[in-house]
Amino acid sequence: MKQFFLTLAGVFAGMMLFFVGLPVLLIVSAIGSAQPSVPGRAVLELDLRQGLTDQTPANPFAALGGAVSVMDVVEALDRAEEDSQIKGLFVRLPEGGMTPAAADELRHAFRRFRAAGKPIVAHSQGVMASGAAVSTYMLGASSGDLWMQSNATLEAVGLATEEIFLGRAFDRYGVNAQFEQREEFKNAVNAFTQSDYTPAHREATLSWMNAIYEAAVGKAAQERRRTPDQLRATLEQGPYPAERARQLGLIDHVGEMEQARDAILERAGRGSRLVDFGEYVRAHVPGGGGSIALVEGEGSIMTGYGTIDLFGSGDGIYSDDVAEQLYRAAEDDDVKAVVFRVSSPGGSPVASEQILAAVRAVRAAGKPVVVSMGAYGASGGYWIASEADEIVAQPTTLTGSIGVYSGKMALGDALARFGVDVRGLAVGGAYADAYDAGEGFDAQDRAVLAQQVDQVYADFITRVARGRDLPPERVREIARGRVWTGAQARELGLVDHLGGYHEAVARAAALANLGDAADVRVKRYERDLGPFGGLFQALGGASTSLRGLMALGAVLSDPEARAALAQIRDAQTSQGRAMVLAGRGVG
């Protein structure tokens, strides 16, 4: 009995340390590092190997790990151009590919920083042939002084993508994937219905891939003072070890990280010190007030208010949150224009419409709205942007995908093979059990589903036609669920200007007659959780996770329960996916 109480006390003490001690430690750490000092001669160190979000994560503790976003980098480098204490920038490049639009945005920020007379040194431990590796190389080239570790390899030989198609497996195991898509280029669910790229899927994918590849090679060629054809031919004959890459003029120096670091410190002058980029961001927290409001949204679009999980990023565009911020900006007398930063592959059409209604309200208040697109402005992400005064996108932003899908995966036959029977009951109308996972749609259900999808697609076309001042017939021609790059979308009239956040602020200032954008104050709008709101939300997610882990541990002490859970887990994994995909999305 004594051992039992000792164990119970230990568990209680551990929980108190986790739920009280850890949050207090994090808060104290945050307060202590909120305004770190910057030395008189500083070189900012930007480590891109951790990956980048487009915007600052909603999780209030994310910044404590040193993570920064594309928006953080752009805003901080714009300030650093005029900061006499900042003498240079040292960049650690990722080994994999970067999101092309993020690489484009950072490239422009690097070029402005260099134009202010401040040097950049970038160091690479290799560029692997994965994803958009050529975008990583392009960003490194824009530094003007690109180093590579002696035993590293440059594999920026092209652009590749890969998709796993489950159509044959689903047929074999009795999973019935049933979806309505508008139109043939709306390929979000092809992975579940096909065994290979359809002609439309292949055409659209190769189109944006070629556009992104050519853009990255062209910009890297400009930095390396070559023609695009020359650089492309050289890169595609790779991969190259570091020394060979230097001999071919693809990089500037071969050396270890410490050598590259010492080189930028020497250029910065005697007494220069490295300063972590995240510390510099936190040392210059934007103040309140401003003539332009900045409202941000990143991730899938969904209804409701967002929550913050201590163990997650909290990413997502929640319609209540974003609409509320836009309405506040509309009512704020100090705000003369709004920059709406969007990076989203899509989501719920009703959530998208709620946000678009708020965009209309800002414009009705006489305040122009300029959308700045990040990595994606696609599907629902384009819906919420469609009626802005102007849309600004990077040449490589994935844009458009004006289309809709809806459906479900019927799992009854598949689960029956494992002795699991799905049975449902329903009362009311015939459509009440249409989205049950056991059976597929009958003819009447499928007809209703098709009608709903047609209506949402028609609504999407109407909003784009109205917002972009295009005939509906023209929008239908260029829609069809097809993804374009920002450069292609500009030619089609879906985008007004090419550029990033910097250019979007300039356009908003011009539309609001605010004069020089450099003198305009920007006020960031975000959800107000109060001083402890974020902490309580984070702890709510943490406690839920912990309760689940404790319950699971108890169950798994029984060998028979372990065997039963293995079968249930597989079934629930498939069903969970069906429920997510059954959402009537425009993603």
Side-chain angles (χ1 to χ4, degrees):
M1 184 62 70
K2 179 181 178 181
Q3 182 61 41
F4 171 77
F5 283 113
L6 286 174
T7 301
L8 187 63
V11 170
F12 179 78
M15 292 178 67
M16 289 296 294
L17 283 172
F18 184 83
F19 289 115
V20 178
L22 177 61
V24 169
L25 179 62
L26 290 172
I27 291 173
V28 171
S29 176
I31 294 172
S33 62
Q35 293 290 336
S37 61
V38 176
R41 302 185 69 86
V43 171
L44 299 178
E45 182 176 14
L46 175 60
D47 192 341
L48 298 176
R49 298 173 302 168
Q50 304 173 65
L52 283 173
T53 56
D54 183 72
Q55 298 152 31
T56 304
N59 188 331
F61 303 122
L64 299 180
V68 294
S69 67
V70 171
M71 293 288 285
D72 287 334
V73 176
V74 171
E75 291 180 320
L77 286 183
D78 282 351
R79 292 194 301 270
E81 292 173 24
E82 307 297 328
D83 190 337
S84 61
Q85 294 177 283
I86 304 302
K87 305 299 181 181
L89 174 67
F90 180 47
V91 182
R92 305 288 303 276
L93 294 172
E95 295 177 53
M98 290 186 66
T99 303
D104 276 341
E105 189 119 28
L106 297 191
R107 172 179 176 266
H108 288 298
F110 284 10
R111 289 171 64 87
R112 291 193 297 270
F113 188 82
R114 290 174 58 196
K118 301 189 177 186
I120 302 177
V121 168
H123 185 267
S124 171
Q125 291 179 291
V127 178
M128 302 294 104
S130 60
V134 68
S135 294
T136 301
Y137 174 69
M138 176 202 71
L139 182 62
S142 72
S143 69
D145 195 0
L146 177 55
W147 290 62
M148 182 167 283
Q149 187 169 303
S150 59
N151 65 337
T153 305
L154 177 62
E155 299 180 356
V157 296
L159 178 63
T161 187
E162 187 176 46
E163 187 150 3
I164 296 176
F165 291 95
L166 300 172
R168 287 197 305 120
F170 281 2
D171 289 343
R172 178 177 179 182
Y173 293 105
V175 177
N176 187 7
Q178 295 183 313
F179 292 92
E180 290 283 334
Q181 298 162 264
R182 302 291 183 275
E183 295 282 350
E184 73 272 25
F185 291 103
K186 193 66 180 178
N187 50 52
V189 297
N190 283 10
F192 306 108
T193 61
Q194 306 294 326
S195 60
D196 197 354
Y197 291 96
T198 64
H201 192 175
R202 184 182 301 275
E203 175 188 338
T205 302
L206 287 175
S207 175
W208 64 255
M209 287 179 67
N210 276 313
I212 288 175
Y213 181 51
E214 290 172 5
V217 170
K219 291 165 188 171
Q222 180 183 351
E223 304 289 354
R224 302 308 298 180
R225 294 180 175 81
R226 299 187 180 191
T227 69
D229 288 343
Q230 288 173 336
L231 182 61
R232 180 171 183 163
T234 302
L235 288 175
E236 290 181 359
Q237 291 174 22
Y240 301 107
E243 180 56 33
R244 181 56 178 159
R246 187 196 66 78
Q247 294 170 0
L248 291 170
L250 299 175
I251 64 173
D252 298 292
H253 302 281
V254 175
E256 306 310 304
M257 183 279 291
E258 292 78 8
Q259 294 173 288
R261 178 198 60 197
D262 291 345
I264 186 64
L265 289 173
E266 182 178 349
R267 292 177 66 178
R270 183 185 299 273
S272 296
R273 291 169 46 199
L274 285 176
V275 171
D276 178 77
F277 202 93
E279 290 186 10
Y280 185 72
V281 169
R282 294 193 295 277
H284 295 77
V285 177
S291 298
I292 291 178
L294 171 62
V295 177
E296 298 172 296
E298 178 177 11
S300 297
I301 303 170
M302 57 201 90
T303 58
Y305 289 103
T307 58
I308 298 171
D309 187 344
L310 187 62
F311 298 112
S313 65
D315 289 340
I317 301 178
Y318 293 88
S319 58
D320 284 0
D321 286 337
V322 176
E324 181 179 285
Q325 292 158 25
L326 288 167
Y327 284 121
R328 284 167 52 202
E331 297 168 359
D332 190 336
D333 292 337
D334 192 44
V335 169
K336 308 303 179 186
V338 172
V339 170
F340 185 16
R341 176 72 173 199
V342 175
S343 187
S344 172
S348 161
V350 293
S352 299
E353 183 65 12
Q354 181 183 355
I355 295 170
L356 182 58
V359 170
R360 295 190 194 111
V362 176
R363 297 185 66 198
K367 304 178 182 185
V369 178
V370 176
V371 167
S372 169
M373 290 183 175
Y376 307 94
S379 206
Y382 191 77
W383 184 307
I384 65 178
S386 60
E387 296 187 30
D389 289 272
E390 293 186 359
I391 299 175
V392 180
Q394 292 292 349
T396 50
T397 298
L398 296 182
T399 309
S401 189
I402 302 166
V404 188
Y405 73 84
S406 184
K408 69 174 183 178
M409 286 189 283
L411 305 176
D413 290 345
L415 295 177
R417 302 183 186 194
F418 299 94
V420 178
D421 298 310
V422 181
R423 301 288 186 263
L425 296 173
V427 296
Y431 201 67
D433 60 352
Y435 277 87
D436 283 1
E439 301 291 335
F441 294 116
D442 61 26
Q444 183 178 352
D445 291 343
R446 191 65 182 251
V448 173
L449 172 64
Q451 184 179 25
Q452 291 176 334
V453 170
D454 286 338
Q455 184 59 58
V456 175
Y457 186 49
D459 290 346
F460 204 165
I461 295 293
T462 298
R463 282 143 184 76
V464 175
R466 180 170 58 213
R468 308 310 303 155
D469 194 22
L470 293 169
E473 296 77 15
R474 176 56 179 157
V475 176
R476 285 187 179 275
E477 289 177 10
I478 61 181
R480 299 158 62 192
R482 182 159 182 165
V483 176
W484 308 96
T485 65
Q488 293 169 332
R490 184 174 181 272
E491 295 297 319
L492 295 169
L494 299 178
V495 163
D496 297 291
H497 306 283
L498 298 180
Y501 167 68
H502 191 86
E503 289 74 20
V505 171
R507 290 305 307 154
L511 291 174
N513 298 314
L514 295 176
D516 189 349
D519 299 325
V520 170
R521 293 171 302 139
V522 176
K523 179 179 182 179
R524 176 180 264 108
Y525 274 75
E526 52 193 7
R527 186 178 177 192
D528 184 10
L529 296 173
F532 297 104
L535 173 61
F536 291 152
Q537 282 202 1
L539 289 181
S543 61
T544 300
S545 301
L546 186 60
R547 285 196 302 270
L549 288 174
M550 292 171 66
L552 182 63
V555 170
L556 289 183
S557 64
D558 184 340
E560 293 183 4
R562 286 200 300 267
L565 274 175
Q567 296 182 20
I568 295 172
R569 181 191 58 223
D570 294 338
Q572 287 182 329
T573 299
S574 299
Q575 179 131 353
R577 174 167 287 177
M579 291 170 64
V580 171
L581 290 174
R584 296 155 176 78
V586 286

